[in-house]
Amino acid sequence: MTSKTPTQDNSQALRIVIAGGGTAGWMAANLLATHWSADNNALRPVHITLVESPEIGIIGVGEGSTPTLKRFFNDLGIAESIWMPACNATYKVSIRFDDWSPGSGINTYSHPFISQLDTFSERPFDVNCYTRRLGLDVNTTPGDFLFNGWLARYRRSPVTPANFPFRVEYGYHFDSALLGQFLKSHAARLGVNYMAGNISSVQRHPNGDIAGLQTAEGNIITGDFFIDCTGFKSLLLQQTLKVPFKSFANNLYNDRAVVCPTPALSDTPVETRSTALSNGWAWQIPLTNRTGNGYVYSSHFIDDERAATELCKHLQINEASADLRTLTMNVGQVARHWSGNCLALGLSQGFIEPLEATALHLVQTSVEQFIDTVNDGGLGEQQQHRYNQLVSKRFERVRDYIVAHYKLNTRSDSEYWQANRHNEYLSESLLQILDVWYRRGDLRAEIKRQQLDSHFGSTSWHCLLAGYGAFPALGANQPGQGDLYTEKELEAFFSGCLMNFSPPGYAPRNTE
Ligand SMILES: Cc1cc2nc3c(=O)[nH]c(=O)nc-3n(C[C@H](O)[C@H](O)[C@H](O)COP(=O)(O)OP(=O)(O)OC[C@H]3O[C@@H](n4cnc5c(N)ncnc54)[C@H](O)[C@@H]3O)c2cc1C
């Protein structure tokens, strides 16, 4: 991403108003202030105001990230040793899926983040998956082939020693409320103006653009460009500008979550755990001071009370004293993420349920895309159109990857899982991926053909499909040779590499 001025023809400051101070609002404020600061922007300074209701509060979940969050903090120049302790954060190298595919004989598998070291093992993994697709019995356990799978299994911190020649990818678990507070303080240091206020109405220009935000306290906040970060209610883009919301309810059934913290785990894992339950799945996110838990489910198949009871049983805690909170989720995306002089970010722009913890990733990549698009050509309609196409596509491709988790399940304990397995609302892109896989075609070539590598790449798709055991029955004749996992001595290679990584524990970096 380049840091330069968004428009270069006006000496007056561009006034950007961000409505909402959840994680999305503060991430946007920090990135915009960093990339469009006065230092970077000799011709036209940017003046950012963030207004937030002190009463409404934030959604307060969203505690797992993808590796892109590392780039966010690098961009801001904030070391892990500063932000991680402030947010009770831990490292995340992988997501472990338990009980999603018992019918295939696989009870657990990992989806590790892909590290540079895996260039040695991705090909053997592909070949073994292909061999297994032919009915031959070879190792296709994703966590064996990918280095982060080893880090997760042996609970090693991904902090890479200075002399280790490969880059290791990882994300984080964190307390989202503390992250918001941390980003708020940092934004103040970057010169972002903060206002507490309840937006009561939105004022418009004759051409329909937003002119200002009226607060219940009697203030009017005027601006040139507005960013809607007001959460699921989307006060600006959806409520005021009437941009329609395109629901994904046809292919993603979950619309509720019940959350409940429990004490910290003694031996901190470096992965998120996602366990399939009767009508959805439960996450376990390890922080330094507590464990975040939640059950994501569909209200069409289970009611809130039964879901809360099932979560408590799963966590082995007493429901009467549990700190339970139920949330409603609006799964889908807006028809246009940027309309007129308003951009929506975070829950206002859409939400894909949290199975792969992609929400903040989508916030960050949307802001980065916005900065790049505007840097390239300003705030005009052409830029708007291009941005909307790219962001919509990103939402759809992330949705497809999540949908595949449900489509491929082999559980038979409830109508919910059967309905998911029989779901026929699949995108053309997903149908083609599954078709290539089952026809024993070249999945890597298909992912490349569809240009999906920047969303979930070929190795991630191999992890998912192999992890669910989406293979034909084993052939009657097994030559018993040709397992590249053994031939390439991957176990010896990864065990050797593992010796460079510290035992369990929490060791944030000092510098980036
Ligand atoms: C069950 C669940 C689990 C999730 N897990 C993950 C995860 O693991 N990883 C991940 O990346 N994401 C996750 N998410 C998503 C994540 O929580 C959100 O993307 C993130 O918190 C950003 O939320 P937000 O800032 O858009 O909205 P909110 O946090 O809802 O913030 C909205 C803001 O708007 C303000 N506001 C609203 N109305 C007004 C008004 N009238 N006047 C003034 N201010 C107003 C509020 O005060 C608040 O500051 C999860 C979400 C859910 C529902």
Side-chain angles (χ1 to χ4, degrees), residues 232-457:
F232 280 128
K233 69 168 66 156
S234 182
L235 210 55
L236 275 52
L237 193 88
Q238 291 181 53
Q239 286 195 38
T240 305
L241 300 184
K242 306 290 181 212
V243 172
F245 185 78
K246 297 197 294 187
S247 171
F248 292 158
N250 274 343
N251 44 21
L252 285 173
Y253 301 156
N254 295 339
D255 58 356
R256 291 272 217 290
V258 53
V259 300
C260 179
T262 52
L265 298 164
S266 53
D267 184 9
T268 313
V270 287
E271 65 185 344
T272 301
R273 200 160 163 177
S274 148
T275 308
L277 299 182
S278 74
N279 288 280
W281 61 276
W283 76 75
Q284 180 199 62
I285 290 188
L287 306 187
T288 54
N289 65 327
R290 66 168 164 82
T291 307
N293 308 284
Y295 180 10
V296 179
Y297 56 94
S298 165
S299 62
H300 296 288
F301 292 90
I302 187 171
D303 62 39
D304 295 343
E305 289 72 28
R306 279 175 51 223
T309 303
E310 191 180 351
L311 177 65
C312 292
K313 193 168 161 218
H314 168 68
L315 298 174
Q316 300 182 328
I317 57 171
N318 180 355
E319 188 173 350
S321 54
D323 181 10
L324 292 159
R325 184 161 67 102
T326 300
L327 303 163
T328 298
M329 307 185 302
N330 214 7
V331 174
Q333 66 167 326
V334 288
R336 294 181 303 284
H337 295 253
W338 173 2
S339 180
N341 67 341
C342 178
L343 179 82
L345 291 171
L347 300 173
S348 301
Q349 74 181 132
F351 180 54
I352 303 166
E353 65 140 277
L355 190 56
E356 288 277 347
T358 45
L360 296 182
H361 169 97
L362 288 167
V363 171
Q364 182 187 342
T365 52
S366 296
V367 182
E368 290 170 348
Q369 188 67 58
F370 177 69
I371 293 171
D372 274 349
T373 308
V374 175
N375 283 349
D376 278 353
L379 292 161
E381 270 181 29
Q382 230 180 333
Q383 272 62 39
Q384 218 179 97
H385 181 67
R386 189 168 135 237
Y387 173 90
N388 284 334
Q389 275 188 325
L390 289 168
V391 176
S392 289
K393 184 170 177 210
R394 190 170 291 144
F395 265 73
E396 284 171 9
R397 297 296 81 91
V398 171
R399 175 204 59 196
D400 288 348
Y401 192 73
I402 308 288
V403 168
H405 288 76
Y406 292 97
K407 177 71 185 168
L408 294 169
N409 91 81
T410 58
R411 290 178 69 103
S412 48
D413 55 323
S414 69
E415 272 180 45
Y416 168 88
W417 288 108
Q418 288 171 32
N420 271 295
R421 193 155 60 248
H422 297 129
N423 175 12
E424 287 182 355
Y425 286 94
L426 306 182
S427 72
E428 199 47 42
S429 163
L430 178 54
L431 281 170
Q432 281 166 3
I433 289 170
L434 296 178
D435 184 54
V436 167
W437 177 264
Y438 287 117
R439 279 194 301 104
R440 300 166 186 162
D442 184 343
L443 187 62
R444 194 163 288 273
E446 177 60 18
I447 300 291
K448 200 171 170 194
R449 187 189 70 76
Q450 291 197 36
Q451 299 180 337
L452 299 179
D453 272 312
S454 60
H455 307 288
F456 285 96

Side-chain angles (χ1 to χ4, degrees), residues 20-24 53 56-57 59 61-62 64 197 199 229-230 233 347 351 354 359-360:
T23 322
S53 158
I56 295 172
I59 191 150
V61 278
I199 302 161
C229 296
T230 57
K233 69 168 66 156
L347 300 173
F351 180 54
L360 296 182

Side-chain angles (χ1 to χ4, degrees), residues 464-475:
L464 171 61
L465 288 150
Y468 276 79
F471 295 118
L474 288 172

